[in-house]
Amino acid sequence: RVLGDLPRGVWSRDGRYRAMWHDFPSDEWKAREEAGLPIPLFQVWDSETGLMRLYCVPYDGKTMTSGEIFWSPDSRYMVFQMRLFETVEQATDRAYTLVLDLETGAVTQLTFDAKNISQWIGGPGETP
């Protein structure tokens, strides 16, 4: 089967999904902000269905940098960090660690100011 060009991103552990930060053109970003619409920051491609889903996460319009994406052992959850700056010139940043549930679309904040995630640690009975 010929798939054509595959989306960029990080493969889930089961090889079904591919996730990456979504990159809107700046004019579309600004239009959504001005209209009060949520801004999708993630895109996840499902290799079984061919669908690309966009996900919004809590974001208050501050300057942001994105971090790495880590998958849970069952490929249902993604953990990631966003670093928010008050201004572009700000020397310090605040790191937020968040988890996205692909089944529900819910986003949960795990930590604030913890930096440098290295891996997903599984729960009881799971292998990281």
Side-chain angles (χ1 to χ4, degrees):
R1 171 176 164 181
V2 177
L3 294 175
D5 293 333
L6 293 176
R8 295 178 293 133
V10 179
W11 282 106
S12 61
R13 292 188 183 198
D14 64 4
R16 178 175 178 177
Y17 302 105
R18 197 147 189 186
M20 67 175 287
W21 291 90
H22 183 65
D23 192 19
F24 261 122
S26 60
D27 57 334
E28 289 181 40
W29 184 289
K30 186 172 179 108
R32 290 185 74 86
E33 267 187 330
E34 289 173 357
L37 297 172
I39 299 171
L41 296 179
F42 272 108
Q43 64 184 39
V44 178
W45 177 67
D46 185 333
S47 66
E48 289 183 8
T49 65
L51 294 175
M52 179 74 75
R53 291 196 174 134
L54 299 178
Y55 292 90
C56 298
V57 296
Y59 173 66
D60 61 6
K62 295 178 182 176
T63 302
M64 178 199 73
T65 61
S66 53
E68 289 185 72
I69 298 168
F70 297 90
W71 286 94
S72 65
D74 64 359
S75 299
R76 176 177 172 175
Y77 304 96
M78 293 181 341
V79 67
F80 58 93
Q81 285 190 319
M82 295 170 49
R83 290 191 168 116
L84 302 178
F85 301 81
E86 292 296 328
T87 66
V88 175
E89 296 81 23
Q90 183 180 2
T92 59
D93 63 286
R94 310 302 301 257
Y96 294 84
T97 304
L98 304 162
V99 173
L100 170 65
D101 181 336
L102 289 184
E103 284 188 20
T104 66
V107 177
T108 304
Q109 181 179 324
L110 292 181
T111 63
F112 175 68
D113 278 346
K115 297 181 183 178
N116 303 323
I117 297 172
S118 61
Q119 69 179 335
W120 182 283
I121 304 293
E126 292 181 345
T127 303

